Amino acid sequence: LDTLIPQSTETLLPSETPILPTRSLNQVNTLRVNHWLFQITAVKSDPGMDSSRQQVVLLGNVTNEGYSRDTFTGQAISLRDSQGRQYEDNIQGQLAAGDKYGTQMAVLMNPGATIYTAVAFDAPSSERTFTIIPGMLVVSWSGDISFTLP
């Protein structure tokens, strides 16, 4: 992963915000979606079902910033590639990431609770450039984050 490009402050959909300067991968990239804070600490490309596929895995800490117990799901986040194709979360990739990276699956979380989790997407192995975009049922979104895999 070469760079993550965060965008600015929280907005309501479907607004888009301007791209900010690139930050180093050594820094945490924060995504706010609804009442969740997802601090993305790494992005990995793992082998897919065959040589033409890859699992793009977002790793990080998810915190429930809401006022009630809730479960974070990868459906809050989608991925778009450089050709405009969109990908939804992939549960098999998330399970594999749990085994490989020690992440937790989504659980019912109390307000203020944080877990280390993964959100995975099945994408063509030839694709290297992606943008994290809002998934289903998103009400508030802090802005898209673009990145390029090595």
Side-chain angles (χ1 to χ4, degrees):
L1 181 63
D2 292 328
T3 58
L4 290 177
I5 304 171
Q7 292 188 350
S8 64
T9 61
E10 186 166 343
T11 58
L12 293 179
L13 288 180
S15 301
E16 292 196 16
T17 54
I19 295 175
L20 297 178
T22 302
R23 290 193 294 179
S24 164
L25 259 188
N26 297 335
Q27 297 178 1
V28 172
N29 288 273
T30 301
L31 179 66
R32 291 185 186 276
V33 53
N34 296 337
H35 59 275
W36 298 100
L37 174 68
F38 187 17
Q39 296 175 301
I40 303 168
T41 57
V43 180
K44 305 287 185 180
S45 174
D46 290 342
M49 295 295 283
D50 59 46
S51 62
S52 70
R53 308 299 295 174
Q54 67 180 324
Q55 290 294 322
V56 178
V57 182
L58 308 177
L59 299 170
N61 297 305
V62 172
T63 302
N64 179 354
E65 293 188 325
Y67 298 103
S68 60
R69 296 178 74 193
D70 199 0
T71 302
F72 176 82
T73 68
Q75 293 177 341
I77 301 170
S78 293
L79 205 62
R80 183 176 56 224
D81 68 17
S82 64
Q83 297 181 32
R85 297 174 292 199
Q86 190 166 322
Y87 307 95
E88 305 303 323
D89 67 311
N90 180 280
I91 192 69
Q92 291 83 11
Q94 187 175 353
L95 291 168
D99 293 338
K100 185 172 183 177
Y101 303 110
T103 57
Q104 295 178 320
M105 291 294 291
V107 294
L108 192 59
M109 296 170 55
N110 288 322
T114 299
I115 62 169
Y116 182 62
T117 195
V119 181
F121 304 89
D122 178 53
S125 58
S126 60
E127 186 61 53
R128 309 316 289 162
T129 302
F130 297 94
T131 301
I132 303 166
I133 60 173
M136 296 185 277
L137 305 176
V138 172
V139 176
S140 66
W141 181 254
S142 62
D144 300 349
I145 299 174
S146 296
F147 62 91
T148 300
L149 296 169

